[in-house]
């Protein structure tokens, strides 16, 4: 026992110094700025990547690269918060890749982002936005505002303007100022608004949305309006379909309200009596 005690008694102080020294060495080699810097990507080894991409994607290009995509997403503010509704079809031209795509990305319990354009671009950058929103919350001990979150996303994608990103997103949520809704695209455009619809089926969705919208409508009526708008877009737009995913953003955070197959919705709405033609 005396041998065991003497073995560790004379090394305890030196061991603590060794640990402190190694910790100092580790901290000295850690660069917080590079660790949390914006991600970077390899770009074509040409003089001007923007001109290079344009030469291969313009309609006049000899061997044109055609990036085909389509979707329908919408969001609108009303007295009870914000309704977000999206379809779930992923397509590449006439090919339907999936009918169960999740086009609403949960950034945090109070923030939602939608996807329209290139699925990979939207998913990557909105998840990166979620990481930055979490870092902001840890540093500042409060949630990031919707306006600030949308500005962060706009600034990130603007650095790659003209380099092939394809994004048309909506960032929505509830912060200290109430419900907020912003549109952000891959050119860095950022707009605050009351109603947005994005995607190839947005014109059809706008027709239903603008006809039935009333700021003072009840929550059930607002959810039904969002669901019906997406359904009509999927019925008329070949690049939209699958099912309708419905969300309600309120003061306590966002809430998923359900998934509705558009095939079943078609027969449900067809069975309803038709209104008079004005």
């Amino acid at each position: 026992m005396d041998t065991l005690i003497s073995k560790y008694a004379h090394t305890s102080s030196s061991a603590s110094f060794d640990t402190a020294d190694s910790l100092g060495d580790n901290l000295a080699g850690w660069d917080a700025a590079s660790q949390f810097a914006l991600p970077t990507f390899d770009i074509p080894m040409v003089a001007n990547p923007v001109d290079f991409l344009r030469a291969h994607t313009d309609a006049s290009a000899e061997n044109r690269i055609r990036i085909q995509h389509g979707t329908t997403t919408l969001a609108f503010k009303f007295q009870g918060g914000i309704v977000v509704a999206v379809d779930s079809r992923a397509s590449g031209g006439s090919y339907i890749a999936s009918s169960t795509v999740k086009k609403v990305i949960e950034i945090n319990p109070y923030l939602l982002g939608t996807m329209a354009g290139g699925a990979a671009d939207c998913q990557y950058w909105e998840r990166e936005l979620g990481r930055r929103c979490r870092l902001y919350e840890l540093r500042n001990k409060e949630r990031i505002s919707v306006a600030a979150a949308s500005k962060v996303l706009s600034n990130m994608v603007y650095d790659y303007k003209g380099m092939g990103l394809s994004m048309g997103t909506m960032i929505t949520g509830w912060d200290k100022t109430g419900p907020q809704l912003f549109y952000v695209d891959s050119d860095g455009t950022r707009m605050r608004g009351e109603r947005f619809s994005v995607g190839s089926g947005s014109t059809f969705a706008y027709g239903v949305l603008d006809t039935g919208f009333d700021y003072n409508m009840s929550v059930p009526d607002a959810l039904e309006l969002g669901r019906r708008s997406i359904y009509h877009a999927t019925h008329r737009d070949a690049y939209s379909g699958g099912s309708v995913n419905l969300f309600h953003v309120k003061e306590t955070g966002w809430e998923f309200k359900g998934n509705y197959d558009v095939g079943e919705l078609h027969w449900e709405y067809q069975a309803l009596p038709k209104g008079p033609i004005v």
Side-chain angles (χ1 to χ4, degrees):
M1 179 63 71
D2 293 337
T3 305
L4 183 63
I5 293 174
S6 61
K7 178 181 179 181
Y8 290 99
H10 72 278
T11 59
S12 59
S13 58
S14 60
S16 62
F17 285 115
D18 292 342
T19 303
D21 292 341
S22 61
L23 181 60
D25 293 340
N26 291 335
L27 289 176
W30 185 67
D31 185 2
S34 61
Q35 185 73 19
F36 298 118
L38 287 175
T40 58
F41 300 94
D42 292 334
I43 58 177
M45 298 295 290
V46 294
N48 190 324
V50 176
D51 290 342
F52 173 81
L53 183 66
R54 187 180 296 119
H56 289 83
T57 56
D58 277 355
S60 59
E62 182 178 354
N63 299 306
R64 183 185 179 193
I65 301 172
R66 299 186 63 185
I67 303 173
Q68 297 178 319
H69 40 70
T71 188
T72 307
T73 63
L74 67 83
F76 62 88
K77 291 171 63 176
F78 72 109
Q79 59 83 23
I82 298 175
V83 167
V84 180
V86 300
D87 78 310
S88 65
R89 174 174 290 180
S91 59
S94 59
Y95 174 70
I96 299 175
S98 174
S99 292
T100 57
V101 176
K102 186 179 178 181
K103 296 186 180 180
V104 175
I105 296 177
E106 300 92 345
I107 298 171
N108 66 32
Y110 294 85
L111 270 176
L112 292 175
T114 64
M115 290 171 43
D121 293 337
C122 293
Q123 287 179 349
Y124 178 85
W125 288 108
E126 290 189 33
R127 285 173 178 165
E128 173 64 17
L129 174 63
R131 186 178 77 96
R132 299 199 161 270
C133 289
R134 180 56 177 157
L135 288 173
Y136 178 95
E137 189 173 340
L138 292 171
R139 289 168 180 159
N140 298 279
K141 305 297 185 287
E142 65 176 0
R143 295 199 315 269
I144 192 171
S145 68
V146 183
S150 65
K151 188 64 175 177
V152 169
L153 180 61
S154 174
N155 288 343
M156 287 193 296
V157 298
Y158 182 77
D159 288 338
Y160 294 93
K161 182 176 181 179
M163 296 188 186
L165 291 183
S166 177
M167 294 171 57
T169 72
M170 291 175 286
I171 303 299
T172 182
W174 197 297
D175 56 28
K176 291 186 291 187
T177 62
Q180 299 294 336
L181 174 61
F182 287 83
Y183 166 81
V184 179
D185 67 21
S186 48
D187 287 336
T189 303
R190 172 178 170 269
M191 296 185 295
R192 186 197 304 265
E194 304 293 320
R195 298 194 298 275
F196 288 118
S197 183
V198 186
S200 56
S202 60
T203 52
F204 305 111
Y206 267 131
V208 179
L209 181 59
D210 289 342
T211 301
F213 178 77
D214 179 3
Y215 182 82
N216 294 314
M217 64 173 53
S218 65
V219 172
D221 287 345
L223 293 172
E224 174 59 22
L225 178 61
R227 188 176 73 155
R228 182 186 287 267
S229 298
I230 295 296
Y231 155 72
H232 279 286
T234 63
H235 185 60
R236 295 297 181 186
D237 176 42
Y239 305 107
S240 302
S243 59
V244 181
N245 286 313
L246 201 58
F247 289 78
H248 179 207
V249 180
K250 47 191 178 181
E251 189 172 5
T252 55
W254 56 262
E255 180 182 354
F256 177 64
K257 303 302 289 188
N259 174 270
Y260 305 91
D261 185 273
V262 297
E264 297 176 3
L265 288 179
H266 176 76
W267 298 112
E268 177 184 333
Y269 290 137
Q270 288 298 308
L272 297 177
K274 303 297 186 293
I277 299 177
V278 179

